Structures are given as structure tokens and as C-alpha cells.
Amino acid sequence: MEAQPQQDSISDDRNPRRSYWRWRKQDFFPEFSFQSLSSYKSALSATCPRLADRLLARSSDAYEIDAARRESENPMRRCLTWWDLLWLSFGSVVGSGVFVITGQEARVGAGPAVVLSYAISGLSALLSVLCYAEFGVEIPVAGGSFSYLRVELGDFIAFIAAGNILLEAIVGAAGLGRSWSSYLASLVKNDSDYFRIRVDSFANGFDLLDPVAVAVLLVANGIAMSGTKRTSWLNLITSVVTVCVIVFIVVVGFTHSKTSNLVPFFPYGAKGVVQSAAVVYWSYTGFDMVANMAEETEKPARDIPIGLVGSMSMITVVYCLMALALTMMVKYTEIDPNAAYSVAFSQIGMKWAKYLVGICALKGMTTSLLVGSLGQARYTTQIARSHMIPPWFALVHPKTGTPINATLLVTILSAVISFFTSLDVLSSVFSFATLFIFMLVAVALLVRRYYVKDVTPESGLLKFLGFLFLIVVSSVGVSALWNAGVRGWIGYAVTGVIWFIGTLGLAFLPKYRVPKVWGVPLVPWLPSFSIAMNLFLIGSLGYVAFLRFIICTTVMLLYYVFVGLHATYDVAHQPMEEAKFEGES
């Protein structure tokens, strides 16, 4: 049995203790606007004024930490330390990507300089981690970036960002399930579709049914539902195995290295290094899921900065060493882009090592699924606490201390998608939102430091917005110049000076809020640099990623206008007791 760690006391004076499993309409839509057809019509007729009310409406630290958590009725258990967070982040981030992407980018992207690509991306990820860490200490709740954006940038922006990143997380989990199935099939039969069932009558891209992908998703999410500490221990054990394999790869790589393989170091120039940095950045994503575990940490002020910053620093060093070992062991022109490490070991007479690499990749995908299951469910829980989706999904089970309803939602959605949808279709949907939300969190941190309602004077707010505008516009300008193929220094010098003026201007403005315990150093410089780097990487994603973002955001806007807007408006303006009483009378 799992130990019973420290719990928060969440009392709910409105409702007596009720069964966790309940299915009444009132449990899904308790708001006054949805009590009858006439009340819903009345709400729709007031859409415009309600939208004006909620567009820039901001939550508060106190509401997110206390009042919102009451929607869950039972507390999540505070059972995680900095050690748990460090390994959860490692398990979430270090998946199969580094084994695939490193070879591809070394071969056709950056050559031996791919190690610099990993360093650049690692720096960008570390800047985002610093922003997440400060918010996690100040607002230690399950929602992570959703809560941070809701407090500082308002309900509307938080909903759009949250909807996109939740979609990306679900699609990403489905993609991991399909990848897991492909890897296992390749090890068993050297055929990635070996476990799949072909249905010729289905459309191309949806005609290979994958029961193995569904099974691995169900198992991973089942473990996540059983208990947070149990999942953390399982992740720790498997992550130690990964570390042993990585140490083996690095040691053997350097033992059989040749410095001559590093010449030329920049075969594709600076452009290749930067473009590869945008590609390998995805090997660093996943730490944001761990930030969602803040509500379950024993001492957030200590555990979150050490766990997140420590893990990302360690991961950056590991990735750079793995990339350097590969390019020193094999000439970049001879690297197999599809199986770089396996082929490299075969060339030095260690053909058996391909199974070691394959098992390590499978383990990496498994831990990514485990930690992703934890993070996605808690993200969904906080969204439900705000009533942007039905609050039934916010309920925490009294025995496990986990949000089972929210976990079931993301499990079912990702399992259905993975069963029908091929990897190439999934990859065309995945991207954009992660960088977008990282950029917004950096903006939110600047807002938090420089703007406090009823404290910051209007003149101070206008100056802040002006300087922030310069930072964003100059960052977009640099990205546009680079992706347009402009290589002259004048354009970059102009946009760089504008960015510097905007950031320097903020540096001279007074800060109206300082962190209580731990904060990002060198504000506004580091958050401003994070904004610039994330916007630069967003610009390299291509047309398809922007189109996907626009389409998905449009669909989410329709849901917000017809459902989410009215639910959150009622929560803000109508006593919930009255709504529930009228619904049950």
C-alpha cells in the first residue's frame, strides 16, 4: 500500500461528503446559465457584454491557491520532494527523441556543430524553466501555466493557450503510443507495422489500427491514476536505467573517438546550427508537465527551483555529451540519420548495442508517457476548477489523491487517436503551442513584476506596455528576417537595438512586486531574452504549424463563446449556491 503523505485540508461547506462517482447534469453544468433552455438563451443574448467582462478579467493568487482547489472536494497529496521533481523532469524530457533527432541533424542539419544546437536550445529551455520555477513557487497549484496566465494575462488568453497545449499534449501522447508500438515491433520483427491491423476500407493514414499503442497508454495512465508517489518511484527506477545506458554510450563514444571527425565543424554554417536548434528543441519539452505537479510538492519554495532548474541543467549537459560522442565516433557524412547510434556501434563491432539503444528508447517513451499522464491530468483539473470545462473533471479521488476523472478524459482521447491515426498525420498536428505558451509565461512574469492592479500608476502601465511592445516587435522582426533569408547585418542590428532599448527601458521602471521566496534573476533581461528566443523558434516552424494553430484556436473560440464564457461568467458573478439550489428545486 502507498504511504499516506501530508495532505492539505480542503473543506467544502457547500456540500456534504458525496460519492466520487456521480453523473447528474448538475455535476457537469452547475452554473445558472445552463439550468434550463430559457436561461441558456438569456446567456447567449448577453454574449457581447459578458465577453467584454471576461476578456481581460484576471484571477488572483489567493483564488487559484485556495478557492479554486475547493472544486476538487478532496486534496491532492503533498508527497513529492525536489529529488522526485528532478527525476520526473528527466523522465519526461529524455525520451526517444535524442536518439533519432541527433543523427538526423548531425547528418543534414548542422554537422558536428549539432552540439552547439543542443546548447542553444538548452539555454532557451532553461530560461523558460526559470520563469516556470518562479511562478511555481508563488502559485503552487496543479494548473501550471494555465494558472500563471490566468492570474497575469486574464481568462481569455489563458483559455486559448491552455486549449492548444492540452490538445498538443493529447496528440503527443497518442504519437508516443504509436512510436512505442513501432519501436517494439522493430525490435521483434524489424517491421514497424508488425503489431498493427490493416483495414483497407479506411482512409489512408487511418487504416492501420494499433491495439499495442492503446494498451501502453491504458497501462501508463492506469499507473498514474493509482498514486503520484508510486508513479514517481517507478519513473526513478527506469530513469536510472536510462542514465546507465547514456553513460555507456558517452564512454564508448569518446573511447572510439577521432578529433578528425569534427572537421569541418560548421559544414552547413551558422544557418544550419540555428535551424537545427529549432528542431532539437523538441528534445527538451516536457518539463512544463512537471511544473503542473507543484500542488503535490512538500516544500514548493525549495523543491520546485531545485527540481526544475537542476534537471534542465543536467539534461542539457547530457544531450551535448551524447551529440559530441556521436560526431566524434563517426564522420557526420557517414552517420545513418534513421538509426545513428545503433549503426555507429555496429561500425565498431558492437552490433548487440542496437538492442540496448532500442530498449533505452522504449524506456524513455514509457517514462514520458507516465509523467505526461500526471501532468496532463492536473492541467485538465485546473481548467475544470475554473469551470471552463465541466467541474466534474476537477474532482480528486479521496483514496488515491489523484484526479481520476481528468486522467480518464485524456486517456480516452489519446487512446482513440492513437488507435486510428498514423504517426505522419499526428506529426503534422503537433508543434507551436509549447513555444507559444513558453513565450506567454515569460510575458506574464514581466507583467507580474511591473504591474499590480490599483498600485501601478496609469503612466507606469503605459510605459511598461510600450517597452514590452518594443521587445515583442523586435523579436518578431529578427525571426522574420532570418526566415526570409536576409543575412546582412543591418536589419539584425536595427532589431537588436530596438530589443535592447525595450529591455533597458523596463530595467529603469520600478517593480511593484518582488518574489516572496525565490525569483528569476536579472529581470527583465532573462525573461526578455526568453521571449525573443521562443518567438525566433516559433518563426522556424513553417506554414503548417501556423495553420494548425489558427484552425484549432478557431474551434476553441466557438466552444468558449457558447460554453466556457458563460460558465466562468456565472462563477465570477453568481453565487454557486443559488445556481445549484435552482437546478435541484
Side-chain angles (χ1 to χ4, degrees):
M1 294 293 290
E2 189 172 353
Q4 301 294 316
Q6 174 189 350
Q7 298 188 38
D8 289 330
S9 175
I10 295 181
S11 60
D12 192 339
D13 299 331
R14 301 169 300 176
N15 301 306
R17 181 71 65 179
R18 294 183 290 169
S19 169
Y20 184 81
W21 303 108
R22 49 188 191 263
W23 315 95
R24 300 177 311 151
K25 170 182 173 291
Q26 201 67 20
D27 297 314
F28 288 85
F29 294 100
E31 303 84 12
F32 182 71
S33 294
F34 303 102
Q35 297 308 303
S36 65
L37 182 60
S38 60
S39 64
Y40 183 59
K41 288 181 178 178
S42 176
L44 288 180
S45 66
T47 296
C48 288
R50 288 187 171 197
L51 185 60
D53 177 86
R54 303 308 302 161
L55 193 61
L56 297 178
R58 304 164 76 203
S59 183
S60 66
D61 293 11
Y63 181 85
E64 296 296 315
I65 293 172
D66 183 28
R69 291 168 62 186
R70 294 173 185 267
E71 296 289 339
S72 294
E73 296 185 2
N74 299 292
M76 295 183 188
R77 294 171 181 168
R78 291 191 178 276
C79 57
L80 302 176
T81 65
W82 65 267
W83 182 252
D84 295 300
L85 293 182
L86 189 149
W87 287 106
L88 283 169
S89 183
F90 185 90
S92 177
V93 174
V94 182
S96 62
V98 66
F99 294 100
V100 179
I101 294 176
T102 306
Q104 292 175 350
E105 294 308 307
R107 179 70 177 83
V108 299
V114 69
V115 65
L116 297 182
S117 300
Y118 271 110
I120 292 170
S121 292
L123 174 61
S124 178
L126 185 59
L127 292 175
S128 296
V129 163
L130 289 171
C131 296
Y132 269 80
E134 177 173 328
F135 273 116
V137 170
E138 298 278 305
I139 313 173
V141 294
S145 57
F146 171 76
S147 294
Y148 312 155
L149 298 180
R150 193 167 181 239
V151 168
E152 299 303 336
L153 302 183
D155 268 17
F156 182 74
I157 291 178
F159 173 79
I160 296 301
N164 272 279
I165 204 163
L166 190 57
L167 172 65
E168 230 175 59
I170 292 171
V171 172
L176 272 176
R178 298 283 293 204
S179 295
W180 202 99
S181 174
S182 296
Y183 251 94
L184 182 63
S186 298
L187 288 174
V188 173
K189 195 71 175 178
N190 202 27
D191 176 9
S192 61
D193 293 329
Y194 180 64
F195 294 121
R196 291 172 182 147
I197 304 169
R198 182 177 293 277
V199 181
D200 294 329
S201 59
F202 287 5
N204 184 38
F206 303 90
D207 55 347
L208 288 173
L209 308 185
D210 198 335
V212 173
V214 173
V216 72
L217 284 167
L218 292 177
V219 170
N221 283 276
I223 294 171
M225 283 188 284
S226 70
T228 303
K229 191 65 175 181
R230 182 179 293 112
T231 307
S232 175
W233 273 109
L234 181 59
N235 170 78
L236 172 60
I237 294 169
T238 54
S239 293
V240 169
V241 175
T242 300
V243 170
C244 293
V245 175
I246 289 174
V247 169
F248 169 80
I249 291 172
V250 172
V251 170
V252 172
F254 283 125
T255 302
H256 293 82
S257 65
K258 296 179 182 178
T259 55
S260 59
N261 288 335
L262 295 178
V263 182
F265 192 70
F266 295 98
Y268 302 101
K271 179 181 180 181
V273 173
V274 174
Q275 288 180 338
S276 290
V279 176
V280 303
Y281 188 86
W282 306 112
S283 297
Y284 287 97
T285 57
F287 69 83
D288 50 320
M289 290 294 108
V290 180
N292 295 339
M293 310 300 295
E295 191 170 315
E296 293 161 274
T297 57
E298 293 179 355
K299 297 180 180 179
R302 178 200 66 185
D303 298 336
I304 293 174
I306 295 176
L308 289 182
V309 178
S311 64
M312 189 53 61
S313 302
M314 177 176 67
I315 290 166
T316 301
V317 172
V318 166
Y319 281 175
C320 289
L321 288 176
M322 289 183 68
L324 187 60
L326 176 65
T327 52
M328 290 185 71
M329 186 166 49
V330 182
K331 188 74 173 178
Y332 79 94
T333 54
E334 299 173 5
I335 290 175
D336 187 324
N338 299 313
Y341 289 93
S342 298
V343 173
F345 283 117
S346 296
Q347 291 176 355
I348 60 174
M350 301 174 66
K351 295 183 179 180
W352 55 269
K354 74 174 184 179
Y355 297 104
L356 193 64
V357 173
I359 292 171
C360 187
L362 274 177
K363 195 267 2 139
M365 286 184 280
T366 303
T367 53
S368 292
L369 282 171
L370 280 173
V371 182
S373 299
L374 292 174
Q376 294 157 21
R378 282 138 187 83
Y379 207 82
T380 305
T381 298
Q382 196 71 8
I383 298 173
R385 287 171 172 174
S386 72
H387 287 239
M388 287 186 180
I389 61 175
W392 185 80
F393 294 109
L395 298 177
V396 171
H397 197 278
K399 290 185 178 179
T400 65
T402 59
I404 291 181
N405 292 345
T407 309
L408 286 173
L409 175 65
V410 296
T411 302
I412 292 170
L413 291 175
S414 58
V416 169
I417 294 171
S418 70
F419 186 60
F420 292 99
T421 314
S422 66
L423 275 174
D424 56 344
V425 174
L426 291 174
S427 62
S428 68
V429 176
F430 189 73
S431 286
F432 200 100
T434 300
L435 287 169
F436 179 65
I437 209 164
F438 288 173
M439 183 272 294
L440 286 179
V441 169
V443 171
L445 187 132
L446 290 176
V447 172
R448 185 172 183 83
R449 292 290 190 95
Y450 288 97
Y451 175 67
V452 177
K453 187 177 180 180
D454 299 327
V455 176
T456 305
E458 184 177 352
S459 59
L461 174 61
L462 292 176
K463 290 176 183 178
F464 168 74
L465 293 176
F467 290 132
L468 181 62
F469 178 77
L470 292 179
I471 291 170
V472 173
V473 168
S474 60
S475 301
V476 171
V478 171
S479 181
L481 287 171
W482 182 267
N483 289 285
V486 177
R487 296 295 177 262
W489 63 271
I490 297 178
Y492 296 101
V494 171
T495 51
V497 168
I498 294 174
W499 176 88
F500 181 80
I501 291 173
T503 308
L504 185 65
L506 286 183
F508 282 108
L509 290 180
K511 298 182 180 71
Y512 291 93
R513 181 187 278 117
V514 294
K516 300 181 183 70
V517 180
W518 187 91
V520 177
L522 300 177
V523 174
W525 297 99
L526 292 187
S528 179
F529 192 44
S530 179
I531 292 170
M533 292 196 73
N534 284 306
L535 285 174
F536 183 82
L537 293 173
I538 286 174
S540 68
L541 293 179
Y543 168 77
V544 174
F546 282 86
L547 182 62
R548 194 284 306 171
F549 180 78
I550 293 171
I551 293 173
C552 292
T553 299
T554 301
V555 174
M556 291 168 192
L557 281 173
L558 291 174
Y559 170 84
Y560 184 74
V561 168
F562 287 101
V563 180
L565 167 65
H566 307 292
T568 54
Y569 181 88
D570 284 349
V571 171
H573 295 278
Q574 299 284 344
M576 290 301 299
E577 293 87 346
E578 176 185 337
K580 290 188 175 182
F581 173 79
E582 292 186 16
E584 295 173 349
S585 62

